[in-house]
Amino acid sequence: KMSGSRSVIVQSKEYQSFRSAVSQKKIITDINGTQYVWRIFDFGPRDVRCPLVCLPPISGTADVFFNQIISLSCQKYRVIAVDYPVVWTHAAFCEALLALLDHLCLDQVHLFGASLGGFLALKFAESTSMCQRVRSLILCNAFVDTAVFKDMPSPTVLRLSPAFFLKHLVLSSYPSGDFETGIANSIDFMIERLDSLERDELASRLVLNVAEGYVRPQDIASQDLKVMILEVLDRCSLSSAARDELQKCFPSSRVAQLRDGGNFPYLARPDEVNMFLLIHLRGYSGTRWSACDDFANDRVDPPIATLEASPDASEGDHDGAAAAVAALRLGAGAGAG
């Protein structure tokens, strides 16, 4: 992508419609005098108290999940995607996320975490094991131990490094070579998101990625959480050893495999990812832990094969959604390959 140009995804009708239909909110939570600034997209029925909450990777902002927000909200699911506040420890992140859920009056949530977001989702579920706030986990290219990044600079170095060095670290972790169009477009879009991050935002995310920490799977197993692992079978930054370790920690998890999708399958292969998310979330339909509007529970579910292509169900249900739905009809996922 040429410097100064905009990525294919940013210019797509789907993304443009999303940004015009869904407003970004700024929420400030205060914990013992320390303020944490969250920026979120919250779309779907407001009476849902157990929504899907999406946690992005290091280089991602909340809008990397725009395909999931539009597609699932069309079927009356509430989806929240977040930008992280500046936090420097895993414990501080968990406290800040807990405060956000309290602010939004959410009892429990389904967490969809990508890469660093997957690790943080696991740490949050672990930290709230005594007072459960996570109902299920969907993990994409996630890891369970930051030791897999032992070759990265230390947290002390990262906190002091200039922005250009931090961005170089992230970019150098991307696989190189030629990619299929959808995957290449997803990488271009993520580079733009990376460029939009302030130095402290990026530094804090990198620190969270390398600071010593690991997940205690027994604390998650004790909560009887359902875990689904989204796994791509092509090239991605996460080592096969790290992916194997994740599955070993959660042997009863469901593994959803995508033939390809790279580092960012929710952008490169949104239809497939959305289908797996729907399959997972429909396991809670009709219960108090449903991420879907209660009225939608009476609807006859479409066949699995058509899950990614049913925007008609709720056209006009939410303010501003009509334009996004119309754009999806022009070709769902076209902007992301």
Side-chain angles (χ1 to χ4, degrees):
K1 181 169 64 68
M2 297 296 290
S3 177
S5 65
R6 297 196 306 163
S7 69
V8 171
I9 292 179
V10 164
Q11 296 181 69
S12 69
K13 290 183 174 67
E14 294 81 13
Y15 181 78
Q16 292 294 323
S17 297
F18 163 76
R19 291 312 304 259
S20 65
V22 187
S23 60
Q24 189 177 53
K25 302 175 183 178
K26 180 179 178 180
I27 296 175
I28 301 176
T29 57
D30 187 292
I31 303 175
N32 299 323
T34 300
Q35 291 190 331
Y36 297 96
V37 180
W38 295 85
R39 292 185 300 274
I40 72 169
F41 293 106
D42 183 356
F43 203 49
R46 291 298 186 271
D47 57 345
V48 170
R49 287 288 174 259
C50 190
L52 177 68
V53 176
C54 305
L55 306 180
I58 288 177
S59 56
T61 48
D63 56 352
V64 303
F65 298 109
F66 78 94
N67 282 300
Q68 288 67 53
I69 293 172
I70 293 298
S71 179
L72 271 66
S73 67
C74 282
Q75 302 199 43
K76 298 187 178 181
Y77 284 84
R78 183 180 180 185
V79 184
I80 299 172
V82 309
D83 278 350
Y84 306 125
V86 175
V87 293
W88 300 102
T89 67
H90 303 139
F93 171 83
C94 293
E95 289 182 359
L97 182 55
L98 182 60
L100 177 66
L101 299 190
D102 288 344
H103 177 89
L104 296 172
C105 301
L106 302 177
D107 303 324
Q108 293 192 13
V109 293
H110 305 276
L111 290 180
F112 174 30
S115 304
L116 171 64
F119 175 74
L120 294 176
L122 288 163
K123 292 300 289 182
F124 181 73
E126 175 188 287
S127 73
T128 57
S129 60
M130 300 302 291
C131 183
Q132 188 171 346
R133 300 299 292 269
V134 179
R135 178 48 47 180
S136 75
L137 293 160
I138 305 106
L139 308 171
C140 177
N141 290 338
F143 53 91
V144 295
D145 191 334
T146 60
V148 299
F149 304 105
K150 62 182 182 299
D151 295 332
M152 293 277 285
S154 71
T156 301
V157 170
L158 292 171
R159 291 189 69 158
L160 298 173
S161 296
F164 76 85
F165 176 74
L166 300 176
K167 290 178 181 179
H168 172 73
L169 283 177
V170 176
L171 292 174
S172 64
S173 71
Y174 290 0
S176 59
D178 295 328
F179 296 95
E180 180 274 337
T181 301
I183 295 173
N185 289 343
S186 73
I187 294 173
D188 283 349
F189 182 74
M190 293 300 288
I191 291 173
E192 288 180 335
R193 301 307 94 191
L194 176 64
D195 286 341
S196 74
L197 296 176
E198 299 291 337
R199 194 209 75 88
D200 281 357
E201 290 178 309
L202 182 54
S204 69
R205 295 176 183 206
L206 282 164
V207 166
L208 293 176
N209 208 65
V210 304
E212 184 177 350
Y214 57 89
V215 174
R216 297 190 299 271
Q218 65 271 21
D219 289 346
I220 294 174
S222 67
Q223 302 176 63
D224 194 29
L225 300 184
K226 287 185 180 178
V227 178
M228 182 171 73
I229 297 173
L230 285 178
E231 182 181 71
V232 297
L233 300 179
D234 62 340
R235 289 180 294 169
C236 74
S237 297
L238 198 64
S239 69
S240 58
R243 287 184 277 184
D244 290 344
E245 186 64 22
L246 176 66
Q247 293 190 32
K248 288 178 183 176
C249 285
F250 302 102
S252 61
S253 64
R254 297 178 68 180
V255 179
Q257 292 185 330
L258 288 81
R259 181 175 56 83
D260 58 11
N263 282 353
F264 318 113
Y266 36 90
L267 286 166
R269 298 290 180 265
D271 290 348
E272 295 175 54
V273 170
N274 295 345
M275 180 185 70
F276 285 128
L277 290 174
L278 281 167
I279 292 170
H280 176 85
L281 292 173
R282 280 183 173 155
Y284 300 91
S285 182
T287 74
R288 62 179 295 200
W289 310 122
S290 176
C292 184
D293 185 287
D294 287 339
F295 295 106
N297 293 329
D298 297 327
R299 192 186 70 229
V300 176
D301 288 341
I304 294 300
T306 63
L307 284 178
E308 72 274 22
S310 53
D312 307 63
S314 61
E315 182 177 1
D317 282 356
H318 310 300
D319 292 340
V325 173
L328 286 173
R329 280 201 178 120
L330 294 175

